[in-house]
Amino acid sequence: MDYKMKIAGGIPLHGKIEAQGAKNAALPVMAASLLLKDATLRIHKVPRLHDVITMADLLRDLGADIFYEKGEMSISIPEELSWETPANLVRKMRASSLVLGPLLARCGRAILPLPGGCSIGSRPIDLHLKGLSRMGATIDLVHGAVHATANGLKGCRIYLDFPSVGATENLLMAAVFAQGETVLENTAREPEITNLVQTLKAMGAIIEEDGTGVIRIQGVDELHGEEITVIPDRIEACTYILAAIITGGEVEVTNIIPQHIDSLLAKLEEAGANFTVEQDRVLVHPVKRLKAVSLKTLPYPGFPTDLQPQVMATLSLAEGASVIQEGVFQSRFLHVSELNKMGAKIELQGNTAVVTGVEQLIGADVNATDLRAGAALILAGLAAKDETSVFHIGHVWRGYEDMDIKLQQLGGRVEVIPTEPLSTKVNGAVRKEEA
Ligand code: EPZ
């Protein structure tokens, strides 16, 4: 079944909402549970998202027993695990590749269908595989799946060609039981990496991570069960901060670690936004119109690529021309044509978008292509004149817990409506198919 979100635009948001636990922290921590044997990992503040459900189904398929209710998750891992991941689940979510490292470390084997490309570029896992090979794994590609085996991984020095978040997480987990010391260099430094390191250390791993892009892991024999809490979702929180700004509203977003969103706050200050930062929250105050600013997305602590679509929507109403460069993904601009359908004036030149601010956006029917592009279109719809329908809103549910309810709590007039399943004529017959 497919759904759209219908949005009545032009209403300033007001009120208070709490940011969810971070999707991109919860997923690797869930995968790390595979390193346990006859033990349980308890995780607090797990957001109720489609990607979390997919990861839970994947872990169950491998043999885990999972209880999950109201943000509380417990993952019990038996003595024996399967190491062959189900293609239908892996193809749904790229983050499935995060089970590769733990399975190799724990079982000495792993079979993982290559994750499909998606709307934000090809997204290979070559850096993951290169690092695992250096640790002594044998990697074969068989019918589009990675067949990895390792007779005990060996610690070594690995320099990442790019500070890949997923590669850092996979190699970190693979190194936990490796023989000797593993030194990962030029690693990703996102807060979600630190959350994973802290989780693994609480489970008994020996890891040194000082935030400089070097992580040292001493191999141990086994890990024990633990209880951890997921850090706040910095991207979701910033999405609501931007929703407040784009609608000229007054909103308090709680459950924030301010230093995790410094890059956005600095950019918003430069653009003339009006907000107050407190210990665990940000209060957004109304502002007439932002001034144009320019930015380039970079690995953390640079400006996050996961906020690029949402900031672009916000700057499409700013005074002047903003230049936005996408420095992480090869193509993350599918939201541009959709925003232009709403009257935005955005011109693409390679991996750079020039956003000439307009006075007003006009409601339209637009299509979400991935979760952050979908969020950007919702923000644009909240600010636009008249009504907007964002189709294929399922993309947004992968990363935003109850977004329609949260926006309604803030006074937004939004409604999620089922849409006709896509129907295609096949040799004259009409075949209704699940969208
Ligand atoms: C993580 O994806 C996040 N997902 C993404 O968030 C985020 O956009 C991305 O990091 C960058 O910050 C999760 O944490 C679950 P990468 P990941 O490996 O690990 C290239 C969202 O919206 N690359 O850092 O897949 C890759 O093609 C999602 O929540 C290789 O070339 O990102 C991309 O251009 C979207 N080879 C760049 O590096 C590799 O082996 C960054 O990828 C790995 C990556």
Side-chain angles (χ1 to χ4, degrees):
M1 179 59 99
D2 206 353
Y3 294 83
K4 68 177 182 181
M5 185 186 281
K6 205 165 79 169
I7 304 162
I11 303 167
L13 298 182
H14 59 275
K16 177 157 93 170
I17 48 121
E18 179 179 338
Q20 69 194 28
K23 165 177 85 79
N24 292 349
L27 294 174
V29 160
M30 289 171 72
S33 68
L34 292 169
L35 293 163
L36 293 171
K37 192 178 274 191
D38 261 345
T40 297
L41 180 63
R42 282 183 180 71
I43 316 172
H44 305 296
K45 286 196 176 265
V46 178
R48 196 177 61 261
L49 304 168
H50 283 199
D51 276 7
V52 166
I53 304 297
T54 302
M55 181 63 89
D57 289 345
L58 173 51
L59 296 178
R60 281 192 188 98
D61 203 279
L62 295 171
D65 183 29
I66 299 185
F67 175 79
Y68 175 42
E69 196 174 65
K70 297 196 179 70
E72 300 299 312
M73 181 177 280
S74 73
I75 306 174
S76 298
I77 303 291
E79 179 79 28
E80 294 303 319
L81 275 176
S82 157
W83 57 72
E84 182 158 5
T85 55
N88 63 318
L89 292 174
V90 172
R91 295 223 162 90
K92 265 170 88 171
M93 182 182 68
R94 173 182 166 78
S96 309
S97 58
L98 294 174
V99 303
L100 191 54
L103 282 177
L104 257 183
R106 166 75 160 67
C107 310
R109 287 195 62 180
I111 296 177
L112 176 93
L114 277 174
C118 66
S119 61
I120 55 178
S122 60
R123 304 186 73 191
I125 57 168
D126 54 313
L127 300 179
H128 303 231
L129 303 178
K130 197 167 140 187
L132 293 170
S133 306
R134 272 186 62 71
M135 297 175 78
T138 304
I139 309 273
D140 296 309
L141 286 191
V142 180
H143 295 304
V146 169
H147 285 229
T149 52
N151 230 342
L153 294 167
K154 290 178 184 47
C156 63
R157 181 177 289 274
I158 298 171
Y159 186 90
L160 284 175
D161 298 346
F162 179 86
S164 152
V165 170
T168 301
E169 291 165 343
N170 242 333
L171 296 173
L172 175 58
M173 292 188 277
V176 161
F177 297 145
Q179 208 182 338
E181 180 182 57
T182 303
V183 181
L184 304 178
E185 294 179 289
N186 193 33
T187 68
R189 296 156 54 188
E190 274 69 3
E192 293 76 23
I193 304 277
T194 304
N195 195 194
L196 176 61
V197 167
Q198 287 166 347
T199 300
L200 292 167
K201 287 171 78 171
M203 293 161 75
I206 301 174
I207 305 172
E208 265 173 67
E209 182 234 1
D210 58 6
T212 63
V214 177
I215 303 179
R216 293 173 188 283
I217 307 105
Q218 306 298 335
V220 295
D221 294 334
E222 65 174 16
L223 297 186
H224 54 76
E226 197 43 70
E227 208 169 316
I228 65 114
T229 300
V230 169
I231 56 171
D233 194 316
R234 58 197 168 101
I235 305 299
E236 189 227 17
C238 288
T239 302
Y240 286 103
I241 289 172
L242 291 165
I245 292 173
I246 201 171
T247 57
E250 176 106 32
V251 173
E252 182 178 346
V253 184
T254 64
N255 193 32
I256 285 181
I257 299 176
Q259 65 261 31
H260 288 173
I261 63 171
D262 273 343
S263 57
L264 176 75
L265 297 180
K267 206 39 81 174
L268 289 177
E269 200 165 330
E270 191 187 325
N274 181 4
F275 55 88
T276 314
V277 182
E278 294 182 359
Q279 200 204 343
D280 64 347
R281 64 197 61 207
V282 170
L283 293 87
V284 179
H285 313 299
V287 68
K288 277 213 73 49
R289 194 178 184 197
L290 294 185
K291 292 193 297 300
V293 288
S294 294
L295 63 95
K296 177 174 183 179
T297 67
L298 289 168
Y300 193 89
F303 193 92
T305 174
D306 290 347
L307 280 180
Q308 180 259 94
Q310 302 92 308
V311 161
M312 184 184 287
T314 309
L315 292 174
S316 71
L317 287 166
E319 189 180 342
S322 305
V323 177
I324 297 177
Q325 282 183 271
E326 174 53 54
V328 174
F329 287 105
Q330 64 200 113
S331 73
R332 190 174 200 166
F333 285 128
L334 292 179
H335 44 285
V336 167
S337 55
E338 300 303 301
L339 288 170
N340 285 340
K341 278 185 199 167
M342 298 177 71
K345 282 197 174 32
I346 307 166
E347 201 191 322
L348 276 183
Q349 292 153 10
N351 242 13
T352 299
V354 178
V355 184
T356 305
V358 295
E359 298 273 337
Q360 176 129 65
L361 294 173
I362 315 296
D365 286 355
V366 288
N367 294 310
T369 48
D370 72 82
L371 76 153
R372 307 304 175 186
L377 295 171
I378 291 171
L379 264 53
L382 288 167
K385 193 161 147 291
D386 304 334
E387 187 179 277
T388 295
S389 283
V390 181
F391 286 79
H392 313 308
I393 205 70
H395 285 291
V396 174
W397 293 340
R398 292 188 52 179
Y400 289 89
E401 189 178 57
D402 297 337
M403 190 168 197
D404 51 333
I405 296 169
K406 287 191 171 182
L407 289 173
Q408 287 160 359
Q409 279 170 353
L410 295 175
R413 291 226 326 262
V414 305
E415 193 188 353
V416 172
I417 302 167
T419 51
E420 271 305 298
L422 292 179
S423 64
T424 50
K425 278 193 184 311
V426 178
N427 315 323
V430 175
R431 179 163 56 89
K432 288 263 182 216
E433 64 182 2
E434 277 302 285

